[in-house]
Amino acid sequence: MPVSPYILGLRQHIGTGLLWLPGVTAVVLDDDGRVLLGQRSDNGRWALVSGILEPGEEPGVGIAREVLEETGVPVRVEALAAVTVTEQAAYPNGDQAQYLDLCFVCRPASPEAAAGARVNDDESLAVGWFAPDALPDGLHPDTVRRLELTLAYLADPAAGPHFAR
């Protein structure tokens, strides 16, 4: 997976030390209530579409960009469902990172857009739509948590987005 020039520049200054980064995740739901997942090329696990915001990028714009880049599906961003912090991650090259994640509910721009879901870059091995009660085995743990939080938000939107209090 390509690393953004911004991150590469930071790494030149701090090496492999811990970076605190703004992340975004999409729970993309089609008209049948199925969720869009990608099988990640770095670890083979199925996961929600996610990414890192570019400096100055609005979060909703950033997640719509990530979904389009990774799956070819243009989306409408409907709501913020959860704000969470990930565990610290250590990558094979020694880099360390931790993410503030903003998880959004998204819908395909149209049924035709949903039907066009495909692997659209080198970050995924496969892309597919799955019913929430028929998800593939080996889901990334962050995906399980974010999906649960989003479904809870959708069941009671008046309660607002999830965040630690």
Side-chain angles (χ1 to χ4, degrees), residues 28-31 72-76 106-117 129:
V28 182
L29 298 166
D30 71 3
D31 291 341
V73 177
V75 296
R76 293 184 323 274
C106 300
R107 306 280 178 177
S110 67
E112 296 78 22
W129 294 98

Side-chain angles (χ1 to χ4, degrees), residues 86-99:
T86 68
E87 298 290 324
Q88 286 187 16
Y91 296 95
N93 67 355
D95 288 352
Q96 299 173 58
Q98 190 167 20
Y99 302 91

Side-chain angles (χ1 to χ4, degrees), residues 58-146:
E58 289 288 339
V61 172
I63 194 55
R65 173 186 54 77
E66 288 287 346
V67 174
L68 184 61
E69 286 176 0
E70 294 182 25
T71 70
V73 177
V75 296
R76 293 184 323 274
V77 179
E78 292 190 347
L80 176 66
V83 177
T84 58
V85 174
T86 68
E87 298 290 324
Q88 286 187 16
Y91 296 95
N93 67 355
D95 288 352
Q96 299 173 58
Q98 190 167 20
Y99 302 91
L100 170 67
D101 186 75
L102 306 173
C103 184
F104 292 94
V105 177
C106 300
R107 306 280 178 177
S110 67
E112 296 78 22
R118 65 188 182 280
V119 173
N120 204 40
D121 65 11
D122 63 353
E123 294 188 40
S124 299
L125 300 172
V127 170
W129 294 98
F130 298 88
D133 61 352
L135 298 171
D137 291 333
L139 282 177
H140 193 281
D142 287 339
T143 286
V144 173
R145 180 170 186 229
R146 292 175 190 150

